[in-house]
Amino acid sequence: MKRYSAFAIAREAARYHTGWERAWRAPEPKASYDVIIIGAGGHGLATAYHLGKNYGITNVAILEKGWLGGGNTGRNTTIIRSNYLQDPSAAIYEKSRSLYETMSQDLNYNVMFSPRGVIMLAQTHHEVRGYQRTAHANALQGVTTEFISPEKVRELVPIINIDGPRYPVLGGLWQARGGTARHDAVAWGYARACSEMGMDVIQKCEVTAIRREGGKVVGVDTTKGAIDCARLGIVVAGHSGDVTAMAGFRLPIESVALQALVSEPIKPCMDVVVMANTVHGYMSQSDKGEMVIGGGTDGYNNYTQRGSFHHIEETVRALIETFPMISRLKMLRQWGGIVDVTGDRSPILSKTPVEGVFINCGWGTGGFKAIPGSGWAMAELMAKGHSPLTEEFSLDRFRAGKFIDESVAAGVAH
Ligand SMILES: Cc1cc2nc3c(=O)[nH]c(=O)nc-3n(C[C@H](O)[C@H](O)[C@H](O)COP(=O)(O)OP(=O)(O)OC[C@H]3O[C@@H](n4cnc5c(N)ncnc54)[C@H](O)[C@@H]3O)c2cc1C
């Protein structure tokens, strides 16, 4: 496959863009693979990519019931940060954040990683204490964050009102190398790299059954026929419960729709990401100028992959006190995605009761930031049978009561 470069862009411009190749192949499934990954979202594709890149396992199919990145990966608000409280979380999220720094070069695909900085506003005394604690924990974990004053918040975000009557800004947890990336590009970049390694990315191919013999996986049934495999990775976010039911086991997980909306495009006015967890909204400005606004989850479990009307008013109302200028903005569109939430708000990366079946899920409202790190760790787990980054995130923790409580960092939408 030809490399993308400044030279290639100039060459194609000179010949009216007639020489670009397809970014990835569209193959039909083979009868059998060493590894099948269910789900061509970011996590599934990153797992496949690292299986090939780190372990030379390339007889791999990634099966997607819809289109590439059409799940949460293409629906999220793209915040990337690693300022979590617990050590196992900081390890995997920081690994991920650091992989984002070089992802465009590694994949030879511009994922538009923009380390513009992320502020989590402290708007109650409880939040001040919580974020100061996180900043101390991050210092010990080697994750660069700092607790900043309200004045520093105002300096970074001139459009903010720090003197709100209900929730004044009392400070913020600031991660200068956090930021955003282009969500579709992350999926497309991984798909192109996987396809180049000889893997088959197969869209419109829904897995309908998981075949087992003697407690071991032997293959899957799909809408494109039966396919055999020796190892199976289930990486389907909001559909995890449904798919593991096909393998005969249940997950401690709930599925719920998470909401977002964007405004009309306006001139550049905010060059950092701001999260206001008390009022429950967060905002960044896209390169096109739209204000990208994240809301909360629907108040009930559901599989409805669409926007909920009541969230528009709820989210915008919540943010107006802190960002009065929003009151004069027109909203352009809204949408929702089905996220998978665990009780301790931490993911599951684990072997399962079925030999050869591995599960990667439970990233809930915040797994975009984790894509490269999760792929790296999941590939190690599937290739070697264990990974230092996934050890604490196993399914067994729910039996043993060894929860990784991230309700402060991840019990919110982002
Ligand atoms: C509105 C919203 C905002 C968000 N904001 C952020 C944010 O700012 N920062 C952040 O870090 N995270 C955010 N998230 C969370 C993040 O999007 C997810 O955690 C992450 O994208 C999950 O990726 P994934 O690859 O696991 O899942 P997905 O991208 O959902 O991919 C799973 C894929 O599996 C496929 N699938 C399901 N069942 C089958 C089957 N039977 N056969 C074949 N394929 C199947 C689906 O079609 C889907 O494409 C947000 C999520 C939403 C919805």
Side-chain angles (χ1 to χ4, degrees), residues 31 57 94 139 147 149 159 203 226 228 235 246 285 292 295 319 344 347 350-351 375 386 389 397 403:
I57 300 171
E94 178 59 12
F147 188 82
S149 66
I159 61 169
Q203 303 181 69
D228 293 343
V235 198
M246 297 177 198
Q285 189 166 20
V292 181
L319 283 173
D344 61 0
S350 182
K351 293 180 180 172
H386 61 90
L389 283 173
R397 78 174 187 272
F403 301 123

Side-chain angles (χ1 to χ4, degrees), residues 77 79 81 83-84 93 118-121 126-127 131 256 258-259 274-282 294-297 339-346 362-367 369 405-414:
T77 46
I79 299 175
R81 59 185 181 87
N83 50 358
Y84 284 67
Y93 285 104
V118 176
I119 307 176
M120 296 168 83
L121 298 179
H126 175 75
E127 265 186 321
Y131 289 149
V256 61
L258 176 65
Q259 303 291 327
V274 181
M275 302 172 66
N277 295 335
T278 292
V279 297
H280 219 124
Y282 52 100
T297 49
V339 298
D340 47 343
V341 185
T342 59
D344 61 0
R345 299 295 190 265
S346 287
W363 295 98
T365 59
K369 62 181 72 63
D405 182 2
E406 285 294 356
S407 44
V408 171
V412 293
H414 50 285

Side-chain angles (χ1 to χ4, degrees), residues 78-81 97-105 110-119 156 174-182 271-273 284-285 287:
T78 78
I79 299 175
I80 296 168
R81 59 185 181 87
R97 199 204 54 76
S98 67
L99 287 170
Y100 264 115
E101 298 256 4
T102 56
M103 188 186 278
S104 293
Q105 290 76 23
N110 185 5
V111 300
M112 297 165 70
F113 176 57
S114 164
R116 58 183 71 179
V118 176
I119 307 176
L156 288 163
W174 167 238
Q175 184 166 27
R177 293 299 292 181
T180 59
R182 171 81 197 272
D271 62 2
V272 298
V273 180
S284 63
Q285 189 166 20
D287 293 344

Side-chain angles (χ1 to χ4, degrees), residues 330-380:
K330 291 190 185 72
M331 293 301 149
L332 205 63
R333 61 180 185 276
Q334 66 159 155
W335 65 91
I338 309 158
V339 298
D340 47 343
V341 185
T342 59
D344 61 0
R345 299 295 190 265
S346 287
I348 300 170
L349 293 117
S350 182
K351 293 180 180 172
T352 70
V354 181
E355 201 185 327
V357 175
F358 299 80
I359 177 88
N360 177 345
C361 67
W363 295 98
T365 59
F368 177 72
K369 62 181 72 63
I371 284 173
S374 150
W376 176 287
M378 184 73 181
E380 186 170 30

Side-chain angles (χ1 to χ4, degrees), residues 42-43 64-65 72-73 76-77 79 207 237 365-369 414:
H43 287 264
E64 168 55 51
K65 75 171 176 180
N72 295 330
T73 299
N76 79 94
T77 46
I79 299 175
V207 171
T365 59
F368 177 72
K369 62 181 72 63
H414 50 285

